[in-house]
Amino acid sequence: DAGVTQSPTHLIKTRGQQVTLRCSPKSGHDTVSWYQQALGQGPQFIFQYYEEEERQRGNFPDRFSGHQFPNYSSELNVNALLLGDSALYLCASSSSLAYEQYFGPGTRLTVT
Amino acid sequence: AQRVTQPEKLLSVFKGAPVELKCNYSYSGSPELFWYVQYSRQRLQLLLRHISRESIKGFTADLNKGETSFHLKKPFAQEEDSAMYYCALSGDSGYALNFGKGTSLLVTP
């Protein structure tokens, strides 16, 4: 089991553009959470998906949206990119039966 | 509101010395508390969870509800313990993890 995988590894976008990040959960997991980690900060919760629905959302604007597919994989979409969206985006998966979240390696997004 | 505070940005200790990484939290309900670790060029990984009361890699952490603390301790630090450590809290819903800003631990020979 490769664990949680994310793609792409790195991404450079221009302000105002849109971006889609992808995540495949660990085998046996059905829940996916997304976090944003700015430089020098801890990860900040964006939202969590379970049964293809957004189950909980953090304090992020509507420009951040997501989706979960029937195979439990997930996408994070960010519209109208701002310079401040530059960060490491982490995906974490978990089982609906347990609290522990397992993290992917992250996608480094740079907005210029 | 939930908040996790890790007061030390950097902690440097000598090999063999005891280490304590501090974590304080604010939450009105019954929290689930975790320590995550990130070694150089590796992904964030769960170190331990308060409810399991395990000792992982020699580390322990005790939840002190009176002081709202969940400090991470190890009696004898090893060089391979050098890493970034994050304390995290999950509230009653058990969904979102609320992380502190992290403490960078450096163990020198």
Side-chain angles (χ1 to χ4, degrees):
Chain A
D1 179 19
V4 180
T5 60
Q6 292 186 244
S7 63
T9 307
H10 297 89
L11 204 50
I12 299 175
K13 289 286 187 178
T14 303
R15 189 173 48 184
Q17 286 188 316
Q18 177 263 344
V19 68
T20 298
L21 310 181
R22 295 177 176 82
C23 171
S24 290
K26 184 177 165 67
S27 178
H29 286 180
D30 56 8
T31 303
V32 173
S33 303
W34 287 93
Y35 294 82
Q36 180 195 67
Q37 187 174 19
L39 206 59
Q41 303 293 317
Q44 297 287 310
F45 176 75
I46 303 175
F47 41 53
Q48 186 181 86
Y49 276 83
Y50 171 67
E51 291 189 339
E52 302 179 48
E53 297 280 337
E54 183 183 288
R55 180 157 70 173
Q56 189 181 10
R57 189 179 182 91
N59 189 24
F60 278 80
D62 291 345
R63 297 187 298 109
F64 289 78
S65 63
H67 188 78
Q68 186 179 34
F69 300 93
N71 67 353
Y72 308 121
S73 67
S74 176
E75 287 182 350
L76 164 65
N77 300 292
V78 187
N79 294 322
L81 284 166
L82 303 174
L83 297 179
D85 294 331
S86 295
L88 180 68
Y89 288 85
L90 297 170
C91 170
S93 74
S94 54
S95 163
S96 54
L97 304 175
Y99 281 113
E100 291 87 350
Q101 296 188 19
Y102 293 80
F103 284 80
T107 293
R108 172 73 60 188
L109 172 66
T110 302
V111 182
T112 62
Chain B
Q2 301 177 21
R3 178 170 290 180
V4 176
T5 303
Q6 294 180 252
E8 302 134 333
K9 204 169 185 177
L10 173 65
L11 186 63
S12 183
V13 302
F14 288 110
K15 177 182 171 182
V19 62
E20 180 180 69
L21 293 102
K22 291 184 167 52
C23 172
N24 290 92
Y25 68 91
S26 63
Y27 182 63
S28 55
S30 295
E32 285 283 341
L33 284 150
F34 305 84
W35 276 99
Y36 278 81
V37 61
Q38 187 167 30
Y39 301 102
S40 179
R41 286 186 284 278
Q42 294 188 28
R43 64 184 67 188
L44 200 58
Q45 56 186 282
L46 179 66
L47 181 60
L48 51 79
R49 177 185 171 192
H50 91 271
I51 202 167
S52 63
R53 301 189 65 82
E54 292 176 297
S55 172
I56 305 292
K57 299 185 179 182
F59 285 97
T60 59
D62 288 319
L63 175 60
N64 186 324
K65 290 189 177 181
E67 295 183 359
T68 59
S69 68
F70 187 55
H71 302 328
L72 184 68
K73 299 177 185 179
K74 185 170 182 176
F76 307 104
Q78 302 298 316
E79 288 179 71
E80 55 265 30
D81 295 330
S82 295
M84 195 73 182
Y85 290 80
Y86 294 96
C87 182
L89 177 154
S90 181
D92 293 333
S93 68
Y95 302 153
L97 281 172
N98 191 346
F99 285 87
K101 291 188 177 181
T103 298
S104 178
L105 175 64
L106 179 63
V107 182
T108 55

